């Protein structure tokens, strides 16, 4: 995270457990009372996060280091908003369908904001709010979904190892090797009782 501390990163990434309401998906959907989730807990689920300098992404040494260390050779940008995205309504619906990928999903928010929802070990939804400057990595095999928040705009850098494959596998796809590996690494790694459900 460079010279930025924990508090700084939490200005651009926050996470919390979601309620069960089926109101507008762009609303925060906090539980009552609110139940926030720490970045450490996200890391236990394989979700990594950084805060970077979104105004200088072309020259940012920190981003360069992350890309080199993790092999993110491919990069492009995706703008999600009604004005810029063809078939916007259909795309947003697809993004919000619970799915997994067989590779990491890496998104760096350079403008706007949005929600990535992931499942915890007990299948509860955690909503991760990413804002400008937040970079997030969802591990291969994690069930997740994406939606805009009520501002209806995000511009994200998409990174990938090698040639990008954006194929979503809608749930259930538990037979895929990427899913099995995710479960083995992150869901069952504490099967002996350590941490699983302890804080939930």
């Amino acid at each position: 995270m460079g010279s930025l501390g924990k508090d700084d990163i939490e200005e651009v990434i926050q996470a919390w457990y979601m309620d069960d309401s089926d109101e507008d998906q762009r609303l925060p959907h906090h539980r009552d009372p609110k139940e926030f989730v720490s970045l450490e807990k996200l890391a236990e689920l394989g979700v990594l996060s950084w805060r970077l300098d979104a105004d200088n992404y072309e020259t940012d040494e920190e981003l360069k280091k992350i890309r080199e260390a993790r092999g993110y050779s491919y990069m492009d940008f995706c703008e999600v908003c009604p004005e810029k995205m063809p078939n916007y309504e259909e795309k947003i619906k697809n993004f919000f369908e619970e799915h997994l990928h067989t590779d990491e999903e890496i998104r760096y928010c350079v403008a706007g904001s949005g929600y990535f929802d992931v499942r915890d070990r007990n299948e509860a939804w955690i909503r991760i709010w990413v804002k400008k400057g937040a970079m997030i990595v969802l591990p291969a095999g994690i069930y997740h979904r994406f939606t805009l928040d009520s501002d209806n705009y995000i511009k994200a850098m998409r990174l990938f190892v090698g040639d990008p494959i954006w194929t979503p596998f809608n749930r259930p796809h538990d037979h895929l090797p990427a899913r099995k590996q995710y479960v083995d690494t992150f869901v069952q790694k504490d099967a002996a009782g350590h941490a699983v459900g302890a804080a939930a």
Side-chain angles (χ1 to χ4, degrees), residues 95-146:
F95 294 159
F96 201 61
E97 193 75 38
E98 185 176 359
H99 63 279
L100 62 77
H101 301 285
T102 53
D103 298 276
E104 288 180 339
E105 177 163 322
I106 307 114
R107 297 292 182 269
Y108 173 15
C109 178
V110 296
S113 51
Y115 296 126
F116 290 88
D117 299 339
V118 299
R119 293 278 193 187
D120 77 355
R121 292 191 180 107
N122 302 313
E123 290 286 295
W125 280 115
I126 295 172
R127 172 148 279 190
I128 307 167
W129 192 19
V130 300
K131 296 181 260 188
K132 180 181 174 180
M135 179 161 150
I136 188 171
V137 175
L138 304 182
I142 192 172
Y143 281 120
H144 65 283
R145 61 191 183 187
F146 170 80

Side-chain angles (χ1 to χ4, degrees), residues 38-57:
S38 69
L39 298 178
E40 289 78 14
K41 176 150 178 145
L42 291 181
E44 285 174 17
L45 297 171
V47 178
L48 307 178
S49 52
W50 293 264
R51 181 179 184 172
L52 300 170
D53 182 359
D55 291 322
N56 296 297
Y57 56 79

